[in-house]
Amino acid sequence: MRGLELGRFCGQILQKQSFVSLACHCIQFSPLSASPVSFRCSLLHLGCRSTGTSSSEQSEVNLTPNNSKAESNESTQKLLEILATSPAEQQRPSDMGHLKKVADSFFNMGFSPAQMMQLFTLQPSIAPQSRLAVISELLLLGLSIDSTLKILQKHPEVLKLSAKHLKDRGDVLRRLGFKEGSLDHVAFHYPSIFILPHKRIQAVEHLLREKCLFTVQQVSKILQTCPNILLEDLDYLECKFQFAYFRMGVKQRAIVKAGYFQASLAEIKNRVIFLERLGLYQTPDKKGQTQIVNPKLKRIIRASESDFVTNIACSSIEEYEIFKQLLAREEEQRWKHEALKVELLDLESDGEESDTE
């Protein structure tokens, strides 16, 4: 009886371990001379599952091959086909080895296959190497891949810029106080910042420094929180500042702290004049004194319309809407009156010149 049980036990062991001899036969190496690493790699090649037991522990290792490399190679191959058939490559015989290096560079920078396909549909006439240089420079400025893609989607002409131009623009923005995080935020929401003429940026900086008398730190804060002013008309920007400074009596520090330039001048005027006519706002005198306590600038411009009307103006939406319509008519009549005065002055000057002649 013992012999029969022993025979069955040996048969079970041989049945369970039969894959080892099969693996050795297929890989053609001696199990005695093979290292555990080479044996494991061979099993990986065969897609086998190895199970070993010992007196102290039992472990199971899943040796199923990883398909990520195969998927990456497939994506690279598709990208190479797109690059090889692009207009830039049709102008000369395509070098697949060169194109593969470009594709690998994008993979190494963190672009997914889908992002790379999307990227190479923009400005297809641009050579892959030039495209790589521009995008590398954008990433070196501290931009994320998402911000870089958004910039290029909104303004694909950025791909035509030189790497030197982007580097110089980055130096200008850093001088204005844009660090990596703030630069990424600005580039994501206002991607045209990279194609603005340098003179335009200088003009805005000059206006804020020389005419509005903001400090260097205040200019940096304004541009970081309100980068849209780089796209606004300079006269409009100056009028917006003058309304806060002269009409509202608010100084530079409070203007910056309130994020004043984020709001439109029309909405600011509507709210301030509405409060004035309700007796809830008063322009300070030369000493900065008022007979009432004015609401803070930040509350006036940052509150939602319903919150402004209800909690600050203590009025109703219907009354505020009627006021805005009446104020618009007043503005229109004022502009017509100003235009008529200018026209009369021009006629008078023309008459004087004719009498002199």
Side-chain angles (χ1 to χ4, degrees):
M1 193 67 179
R2 287 185 179 180
L4 182 60
E5 291 178 355
L6 181 62
R8 288 178 180 175
F9 180 70
C10 292
Q12 290 176 359
I13 293 176
L14 291 174
Q15 185 178 3
K16 289 183 178 180
Q17 302 298 332
S18 60
F19 76 96
V20 177
S21 59
L22 176 61
C24 295
H25 176 73
C26 294
I27 303 170
Q28 294 181 355
F29 72 96
S30 173
L32 297 175
S33 61
S35 66
V37 175
S38 62
F39 179 66
R40 182 180 179 185
C41 293
S42 301
L43 292 179
L44 277 172
H45 179 71
L46 291 173
C48 299
R49 180 183 292 261
S50 174
T51 304
T53 60
S54 65
S55 59
S56 60
E57 63 179 358
Q58 182 175 1
S59 62
E60 186 178 42
V61 181
N62 188 357
L63 301 178
T64 304
N66 191 350
N67 294 327
S68 60
K69 186 174 182 180
E71 292 174 357
S72 177
N73 291 335
E74 183 180 353
S75 300
T76 303
Q77 187 60 37
K78 289 181 180 179
L79 183 63
L80 291 176
E81 293 174 2
I82 293 176
L83 295 179
T85 56
S86 66
E89 293 302 313
Q90 290 175 2
Q91 300 174 5
R92 60 182 178 82
S94 60
D95 180 359
M96 296 304 292
H98 169 72
L99 295 180
K100 188 176 186 306
K101 289 182 180 179
V102 172
D104 289 341
S105 297
F106 280 106
F107 276 121
N108 293 335
M109 286 190 290
F111 285 88
S112 68
Q115 289 172 330
M116 292 172 62
M117 298 294 182
Q118 183 181 10
L119 181 63
F120 278 89
T121 59
L122 303 171
Q123 299 285 3
S125 61
I126 295 178
Q129 193 63 39
S130 301
R131 188 184 303 266
L132 177 62
V134 170
I135 294 170
S136 298
E137 193 60 45
L138 289 174
L139 294 179
L140 285 174
L141 291 177
L143 303 185
S144 64
I145 290 178
D146 289 338
S147 296
T148 300
L149 286 173
K150 184 166 185 179
I151 290 171
L152 298 177
Q153 286 170 352
K154 285 194 172 183
H155 297 281
E157 62 270 25
V158 171
L159 286 169
K160 295 182 179 180
L161 300 176
S162 66
K164 183 180 183 304
H165 171 89
L166 292 173
K167 184 179 182 302
D168 293 342
R169 179 53 50 88
D171 292 340
V172 170
L173 295 175
R174 289 194 185 97
R175 180 177 59 79
L176 292 174
F178 290 93
K179 306 301 180 183
E180 288 188 2
S182 58
L183 180 58
D184 187 77
H185 172 78
V186 171
F188 189 82
H189 293 282
Y190 299 93
S192 58
I193 196 171
F194 287 101
I195 59 175
L196 282 175
H198 183 63
K199 291 183 178 179
R200 170 68 187 185
I201 299 177
Q202 286 181 321
V204 173
E205 183 184 9
H206 180 268
L207 173 66
L208 296 175
R209 289 288 312 280
E210 304 299 328
K211 293 188 176 182
C212 303
L213 302 180
F214 289 105
T215 65
V216 176
Q217 291 78 10
Q218 288 171 342
V219 170
S220 175
K221 185 67 175 179
I222 291 170
L223 292 176
Q224 289 179 43
T225 56
C226 317
N228 56 297
I229 68 173
L230 291 170
L231 310 176
E232 291 180 354
D233 180 76
L234 295 179
D235 293 335
Y236 171 81
L237 190 59
E238 187 174 0
C239 287
K240 185 187 288 189
F241 167 77
Q242 290 177 349
F243 186 84
Y245 190 82
F246 295 106
R247 179 65 178 274
M248 299 182 68
V250 182
K251 303 304 180 183
Q252 284 86 347
R253 183 178 179 181
I255 291 175
V256 175
K257 187 177 180 180
Y260 174 76
F261 291 100
Q262 295 179 16
S264 69
L265 180 57
E267 184 61 27
I268 294 170
K269 281 185 174 181
N270 286 339
R271 296 190 177 194
V272 172
I273 297 174
F274 187 57
L275 291 174
E276 284 179 340
R277 296 188 182 181
L278 290 173
L280 299 175
Y281 195 92
Q282 188 178 78
T283 301
D285 58 22
K286 293 182 179 179
K287 296 182 180 180
Q289 303 296 319
T290 59
Q291 296 179 355
I292 62 173
V293 179
N294 288 333
K296 297 293 184 181
L297 175 63
K298 187 174 183 178
R299 283 196 68 204
I300 295 174
I301 66 174
R302 302 291 288 274
S304 64
E305 184 170 288
S306 61
D307 184 39
F308 165 76
V309 173
T310 305
N311 300 323
I312 300 176
C314 300
S315 183
S316 64
I317 296 293
E318 293 78 10
E319 186 177 357
Y320 185 54
E321 290 298 328
I322 294 173
F323 164 78
K324 287 193 290 185
Q325 294 174 11
L326 294 174
L327 185 62
R329 292 178 187 175
E330 290 179 15
E331 289 286 326
E332 185 179 358
Q333 292 175 358
R334 186 176 67 84
W335 282 111
K336 287 181 179 179
H337 181 67
E338 292 292 334
L340 182 59
K341 286 175 62 176
V342 172
E343 186 177 350
L344 291 174
L345 289 174
D346 290 340
L347 290 174
E348 289 178 3
S349 62
D350 291 340
E352 291 176 358
E353 289 179 1
S354 61
D355 291 342
T356 304
E357 292 176 356

PDB file of all heavy atoms in Angstrom, residues 219-231:
ATOM      1  N   VAL A 219       3.730  96.269 -11.472  1.00  0.00           N
ATOM      2  CA  VAL A 219       3.567  95.939 -12.900  1.00  0.00           C
ATOM      3  C   VAL A 219       3.617  94.432 -13.091  1.00  0.00           C
ATOM      4  O   VAL A 219       2.818  93.850 -13.838  1.00  0.00           O
ATOM      5  CB  VAL A 219       4.653  96.632 -13.747  1.00  0.00           C
ATOM      6  CG1 VAL A 219       4.642  96.098 -15.177  1.00  0.00           C
ATOM      7  CG2 VAL A 219       4.450  98.132 -13.747  1.00  0.00           C
ATOM      8  N   SER A 220       4.552  93.784 -12.406  1.00  0.00           N
ATOM      9  CA  SER A 220       4.666  92.324 -12.497  1.00  0.00           C
ATOM     10  C   SER A 220       3.382  91.651 -12.016  1.00  0.00           C
ATOM     11  O   SER A 220       2.876  90.721 -12.655  1.00  0.00           O
ATOM     12  CB  SER A 220       5.859  91.851 -11.665  1.00  0.00           C
ATOM     13  OG  SER A 220       5.925  90.442 -11.648  1.00  0.00           O
ATOM     14  N   LYS A 221       2.831  92.131 -10.896  1.00  0.00           N
ATOM     15  CA  LYS A 221       1.598  91.555 -10.354  1.00  0.00           C
ATOM     16  C   LYS A 221       0.424  91.770 -11.299  1.00  0.00           C
ATOM     17  O   LYS A 221      -0.402  90.872 -11.509  1.00  0.00           O
ATOM     18  CB  LYS A 221       1.301  92.192  -8.992  1.00  0.00           C
ATOM     19  CG  LYS A 221       0.104  91.600  -8.265  1.00  0.00           C
ATOM     20  CD  LYS A 221       0.358  90.164  -7.850  1.00  0.00           C
ATOM     21  CE  LYS A 221      -0.793  89.638  -7.011  1.00  0.00           C
ATOM     22  NZ  LYS A 221      -0.583  88.231  -6.612  1.00  0.00           N
ATOM     23  N   ILE A 222       0.327  92.951 -11.888  1.00  0.00           N
ATOM     24  CA  ILE A 222      -0.769  93.248 -12.827  1.00  0.00           C
ATOM     25  C   ILE A 222      -0.705  92.323 -14.032  1.00  0.00           C
ATOM     26  O   ILE A 222      -1.721  91.758 -14.456  1.00  0.00           O
ATOM     27  CB  ILE A 222      -0.703  94.720 -13.281  1.00  0.00           C
ATOM     28  CG1 ILE A 222      -1.050  95.657 -12.119  1.00  0.00           C
ATOM     29  CG2 ILE A 222      -1.663  94.979 -14.439  1.00  0.00           C
ATOM     30  CD1 ILE A 222      -0.789  97.113 -12.407  1.00  0.00           C
ATOM     31  N   LEU A 223       0.481  92.144 -14.585  1.00  0.00           N
ATOM     32  CA  LEU A 223       0.620  91.309 -15.775  1.00  0.00           C
ATOM     33  C   LEU A 223       0.374  89.834 -15.471  1.00  0.00           C
ATOM     34  O   LEU A 223      -0.093  89.095 -16.336  1.00  0.00           O
ATOM     35  CB  LEU A 223       2.010  91.497 -16.374  1.00  0.00           C
ATOM     36  CG  LEU A 223       2.297  92.878 -16.982  1.00  0.00           C
ATOM     37  CD1 LEU A 223       3.729  92.973 -17.452  1.00  0.00           C
ATOM     38  CD2 LEU A 223       1.338  93.173 -18.123  1.00  0.00           C
ATOM     39  N   GLN A 224       0.681  89.409 -14.261  1.00  0.00           N
ATOM     40  CA  GLN A 224       0.444  88.018 -13.896  1.00  0.00           C
ATOM     41  C   GLN A 224      -1.038  87.731 -13.659  1.00  0.00           C
ATOM     42  O   GLN A 224      -1.539  86.670 -14.035  1.00  0.00           O
ATOM     43  CB  GLN A 224       1.235  87.664 -12.636  1.00  0.00           C
ATOM     44  CG  GLN A 224       2.738  87.575 -12.859  1.00  0.00           C
ATOM     45  CD  GLN A 224       3.482  87.236 -11.589  1.00  0.00           C
ATOM     46  OE1 GLN A 224       3.057  86.376 -10.825  1.00  0.00           O
ATOM     47  NE2 GLN A 224       4.591  87.904 -11.341  1.00  0.00           N
ATOM     48  N   THR A 225      -1.737  88.678 -13.034  1.00  0.00           N
ATOM     49  CA  THR A 225      -3.152  88.464 -12.728  1.00  0.00           C
ATOM     50  C   THR A 225      -4.074  88.931 -13.845  1.00  0.00           C
ATOM     51  O   THR A 225      -5.198  88.431 -13.958  1.00  0.00           O
ATOM     52  CB  THR A 225      -3.528  89.207 -11.431  1.00  0.00           C
ATOM     53  OG1 THR A 225      -3.205  90.602 -11.566  1.00  0.00           O
ATOM     54  CG2 THR A 225      -2.764  88.634 -10.244  1.00  0.00           C
ATOM     55  N   CYS A 226      -3.616  89.859 -14.663  1.00  0.00           N
ATOM     56  CA  CYS A 226      -4.447  90.404 -15.754  1.00  0.00           C
ATOM     57  C   CYS A 226      -3.650  90.456 -17.057  1.00  0.00           C
ATOM     58  O   CYS A 226      -3.436  91.542 -17.626  1.00  0.00           O
ATOM     59  CB  CYS A 226      -4.955  91.796 -15.406  1.00  0.00           C
ATOM     60  SG  CYS A 226      -5.539  92.012 -13.732  1.00  0.00           S
ATOM     61  N   PRO A 227      -3.167  89.327 -17.542  1.00  0.00           N
ATOM     62  CA  PRO A 227      -2.347  89.352 -18.770  1.00  0.00           C
ATOM     63  C   PRO A 227      -3.113  89.819 -19.999  1.00  0.00           C
ATOM     64  O   PRO A 227      -2.511  90.151 -21.013  1.00  0.00           O
ATOM     65  CB  PRO A 227      -1.900  87.896 -18.920  1.00  0.00           C
ATOM     66  CG  PRO A 227      -2.926  87.110 -18.173  1.00  0.00           C
ATOM     67  CD  PRO A 227      -3.347  87.968 -17.032  1.00  0.00           C
ATOM     68  N   ASN A 228      -4.447  89.875 -19.899  1.00  0.00           N
ATOM     69  CA  ASN A 228      -5.242  90.328 -21.044  1.00  0.00           C
ATOM     70  C   ASN A 228      -4.961  91.781 -21.406  1.00  0.00           C
ATOM     71  O   ASN A 228      -5.259  92.215 -22.532  1.00  0.00           O
ATOM     72  CB  ASN A 228      -6.732  90.164 -20.735  1.00  0.00           C
ATOM     73  CG  ASN A 228      -7.145  90.879 -19.467  1.00  0.00           C
ATOM     74  OD1 ASN A 228      -6.679  90.544 -18.384  1.00  0.00           O
ATOM     75  ND2 ASN A 228      -8.007  91.876 -19.580  1.00  0.00           N
ATOM     76  N   ILE A 229      -4.381  92.559 -20.493  1.00  0.00           N
ATOM     77  CA  ILE A 229      -4.111  93.960 -20.810  1.00  0.00           C
ATOM     78  C   ILE A 229      -3.046  94.095 -21.894  1.00  0.00           C
ATOM     79  O   ILE A 229      -2.944  95.144 -22.532  1.00  0.00           O
ATOM     80  CB  ILE A 229      -3.701  94.758 -19.558  1.00  0.00           C
ATOM     81  CG1 ILE A 229      -2.332  94.296 -19.040  1.00  0.00           C
ATOM     82  CG2 ILE A 229      -4.743  94.654 -18.471  1.00  0.00           C
ATOM     83  CD1 ILE A 229      -1.805  95.160 -17.913  1.00  0.00           C
ATOM     84  N   LEU A 230      -2.258  93.042 -22.100  1.00  0.00           N
ATOM     85  CA  LEU A 230      -1.275  93.079 -23.188  1.00  0.00           C
ATOM     86  C   LEU A 230      -1.955  93.131 -24.551  1.00  0.00           C
ATOM     87  O   LEU A 230      -1.329  93.497 -25.545  1.00  0.00           O
ATOM     88  CB  LEU A 230      -0.368  91.850 -23.117  1.00  0.00           C
ATOM     89  CG  LEU A 230       0.605  91.805 -21.934  1.00  0.00           C
ATOM     90  CD1 LEU A 230       1.267  90.436 -21.854  1.00  0.00           C
ATOM     91  CD2 LEU A 230       1.650  92.903 -22.057  1.00  0.00           C
ATOM     92  N   LEU A 231      -3.242  92.758 -24.598  1.00  0.00           N
ATOM     93  CA  LEU A 231      -3.976  92.735 -25.861  1.00  0.00           C
ATOM     94  C   LEU A 231      -4.926  93.924 -25.994  1.00  0.00           C
ATOM     95  O   LEU A 231      -5.553  94.086 -27.034  1.00  0.00           O
ATOM     96  CB  LEU A 231      -4.786  91.430 -25.969  1.00  0.00           C
ATOM     97  CG  LEU A 231      -4.036  90.134 -25.692  1.00  0.00           C
ATOM     98  CD1 LEU A 231      -4.983  88.948 -25.751  1.00  0.00           C
ATOM     99  CD2 LEU A 231      -2.903  89.958 -26.687  1.00  0.00           C
TER     100      LEU A 231
END
